Amino acid sequence: MCYYFVRVIILKFLEDVAKEKYQSFTSNHEKSHFLQSYEWGEFCKKIKGQTPHYVGMTDDNDQLVATALILERKTPLGFSYGYAPRGFIIDYTNKELIKKFTEYLKEYMKKNKFIYIKFDPDIPYQDIDQDANPIEGGNNNYELYNYMLSLGYIHTGFYRLYEGNQPRYTFRIDLKRDWDVIESRMSKSFLQSVKRSYQYDLEIDNEIKIKEFYKLIKNTSERDGFNPHDEKYYETLVDEFKDNIKFFNVTIDIKKMMTKIKEELKDLKDNIASVNKKKLADYNDKIKRLEKEQDLFSKYPEEKRVICIIICISTKNRIWSFFQGGDELAGATCAVMRCYYEAIKDAFNKGYDFFDLFGTPGDPHTTYKNLAKLHDFKRKYGDKYIEFIGEFDLVNKKILYKMLPTLLGIYRKLRR
C-alpha cells in the first residue's frame, strides 16, 4: 500500500511586521516599490499625518510571502480608510496567496474599523502602442483583473490622465540590456540635445542640495502651473530615504561661459569678411545665438549656478525619477536632457532592473494642462510605454463607502 502526503502550508497574518523583516522582504521582492517601503510609511506619517500599518503574511517557516504598507486616514465618523500605494507586495501569479491575504485583510478591516482599503499594484494591464491602444496579441493581465473582481474587489476605472492616486501610465527603461541597445531606443532629438549640452561645460554631481532644489522646483511650478511642496517636505524625504535617494545636480560656470562666448563672438566678427557666401547665413545665425546666450547669462550675477536637479528614489533593484526642477538656463543649455541621461546611465552602471519616469498620460494627445507636452518630453527617453492595471477597493462598510466622498466633501467645506 502506498501513502501520499500533501504538505499543507499554514499561512499566518501579521498585524505589525518588524522593521528589519519588512525592509528585507520589500526591497528584495521582484515587485518592490519605494511607495511600499517602510521609509515611505514613516515619511507619510510625518508629512501627511497618516498612520502607517505594516502588515504581512508568513508561511509555516515564518518566512514572509506578502506585505502591505497601508496608510490610514481617520474620518470624523470614527472610521478610517486606507491606501496601499503600489501595493501589495505579493506573488500575483499565486492565486491562493492573493485569496488568503485578501481574507486576512477583510478581518483586519473589521477589527480596525476601516471602511475600505485601496491599492494600485505595480502590474501592467495590457501591452499598448504609442497611442495607448492595446496591441493585438500582446501580453495582458485580464485574468488577474477578473480574479480580483471575483474576490470582491471593486475596480475604480481605467482613467487615462491623473485622476487616481498614482499615474496609471508611465515610461519605463529596461536596463537589463547592453547600453548601446538602451541608447538606440532614445530619440535622436534627445541624444542631439545631450550632445549639445557638452558645449556648456556642465558639471554633474550627487550632493544633497535641498535649498537649491527648492528654488528650482518653485521656478518650475510657476512656469508649469502647479503648487510645489514646502521645503520641509523635501528635507523629510531625504531624512527618511537616506541611502536610497540620489540627487543629480547640474551646475554651470557662468563666468567661464561669458568669457568663452565673448572670445567666440570676437573671433567670428573679426573673420566675417572672409566667410564664403554660402556659409554666411549659418555664420550669422551662430553670432545671433551666441549674442542671445550672452544676454541670458548676463542676467545672473553668480559665478556658478545650479540650474537643474533630479531626485531619484530606489529600492534594491529598481529606481524612479521622482522630482525635477530647473530654471531658464537649464532649458537653454539642454541641462535637463543631460541630467536625465546621466541619471539613466548611472542606474545602468549600478545594475538596476529599470529606470521609471514616474508617470505620463494615457492619452498622448490630450490638451489638458500641457500633459501632452509632458508625455512628448518623457517619450524621448525611449523604451516601454506601460499601462498599469489601476486601482482596486476592498470594501468593509458598503453604505459608508458610497457615502464617504459626499461626507468628506461636506466636512472639508465646514472646516474651511
Side-chain angles (χ1 to χ4, degrees), residues 384-408:
K384 196 167 186 180
Y385 187 19
I386 292 176
E387 176 186 6
F388 291 116
I389 201 166
E391 296 180 346
F392 292 92
D393 291 348
L394 187 62
V395 179
N396 178 41
K397 299 286 184 181
K398 292 183 179 180
I399 294 175
L400 286 176
Y401 174 73
K402 291 180 180 179
M403 295 172 59
L404 188 61
T406 302
L407 292 173
L408 287 178

Side-chain angles (χ1 to χ4, degrees), residues 195-241:
K195 184 177 180 180
R196 187 184 160 207
S197 73
Y198 286 92
Q199 298 175 14
Y200 303 98
D201 299 322
L202 302 176
E203 300 171 17
I204 315 292
D205 70 76
N206 303 113
E207 290 182 36
I208 301 296
K209 297 180 177 179
I210 297 172
K211 291 190 179 300
E212 289 88 342
F213 175 77
Y214 187 59
K215 290 178 183 177
L216 292 171
I217 197 69
K218 284 201 297 183
N219 186 299
T220 302
S221 68
E222 290 169 6
R223 185 175 64 247
D224 294 346
F226 66 88
N227 296 318
H229 301 289
D230 60 23
E231 194 169 346
K232 183 183 177 183
Y233 179 101
Y234 305 106
E235 290 173 349
T236 308
L237 192 71
V238 169
D239 287 343
E240 288 300 328
F241 279 91

Side-chain angles (χ1 to χ4, degrees), residues 173 179 182-198 310 334-345 355 357 376-382:
I173 301 167
W179 178 250
I182 295 168
E183 203 172 55
S184 71
R185 301 275 292 177
M186 298 173 179
S187 75
K188 289 182 179 179
S189 63
F190 169 68
L191 293 174
Q192 286 169 354
S193 294
V194 172
K195 184 177 180 180
R196 187 184 160 207
S197 73
Y198 286 92
I310 293 174
C334 303
V336 179
M337 301 296 194
R338 173 74 175 281
C339 199
Y340 272 101
Y341 181 83
E342 297 292 343
I344 294 166
K345 193 164 188 179
F355 185 98
L357 293 165
D376 188 59
F377 173 75
K378 292 188 176 184
R379 177 186 58 79
K380 292 178 180 180
Y381 303 117

Side-chain angles (χ1 to χ4, degrees), residues 197 200-205 209 212-213 215-217 219-220 223 248-254 257 296-297 300 302 304-310 324-339:
S197 73
Y200 303 98
D201 299 322
L202 302 176
E203 300 171 17
I204 315 292
D205 70 76
K209 297 180 177 179
E212 289 88 342
F213 175 77
K215 290 178 183 177
L216 292 171
I217 197 69
N219 186 299
T220 302
R223 185 175 64 247
F248 290 86
N249 315 303
V250 182
T251 301
I252 189 168
D253 189 325
I254 295 175
M257 283 308 304
L296 177 60
F297 292 143
Y300 299 91
E302 305 100 319
K304 285 190 174 185
R305 182 181 176 89
V306 180
I307 59 176
C308 179
I309 296 178
I310 293 174
Q324 178 255 311
D327 61 18
E328 63 177 340
L329 289 180
T333 60
C334 303
V336 179
M337 301 296 194
R338 173 74 175 281
C339 199

Side-chain angles (χ1 to χ4, degrees), residues 402-416:
K402 291 180 180 179
M403 295 172 59
L404 188 61
T406 302
L407 292 173
L408 287 178
I410 295 171
Y411 172 71
R412 288 163 184 158
K413 187 176 181 181
L414 290 172
R415 285 191 65 185
R416 287 196 296 269

Side-chain angles (χ1 to χ4, degrees), residues 9-24:
I9 298 176
I10 307 300
L11 299 171
K12 179 184 176 182
F13 188 73
L14 301 180
E15 294 191 0
D16 186 13
V17 182
K19 179 179 178 179
E20 294 76 13
K21 192 170 185 176
Y22 184 93
Q23 287 177 318
S24 176

